[in-house]
Amino acid sequence: MNRLSGSVGCVRASAHLEGFWKPQQLHPPTSPIGTSGAAQAPTLFVEEDEDAEPHEGAVKVLAGVGFAAALLVLVLQLMLASHWISAEDNPKSGDWSQLIE
């Protein structure tokens, strides 16, 4: 397919959709949705006691477990890095600045 036949197809398609893409005039706005004459005050649900959460103890325990797991991963990564840095076949053995290179 050459360039001319492809562009002719685009011209035909745009001529076919010419009236479809024209902007249309919108109707003027009416009253807001949900107002039926009388103004109604919004209702809000307020909890009486926000301080007492039923799972507060479980949240603290899970936060502690997550923190301990993060520390364990950090220690394992440092131990692995230490093993890699102090390897005998490493030309910069013992140089911790290798980690940021």
Side-chain angles (χ1 to χ4, degrees), residues 8-33:
V8 170
C10 291
V11 170
R12 286 183 189 155
S14 64
H16 175 68
L17 297 173
E18 186 174 310
F20 183 74
W21 295 104
K22 288 185 181 178
Q24 298 176 358
Q25 181 66 31
L26 298 175
H27 297 288
T30 58
S31 64
I33 296 175

Side-chain angles (χ1 to χ4, degrees), residues 1-10:
M1 177 159 102
N2 61 20
R3 294 178 84 186
L4 292 177
S5 65
S7 63
V8 170
C10 291

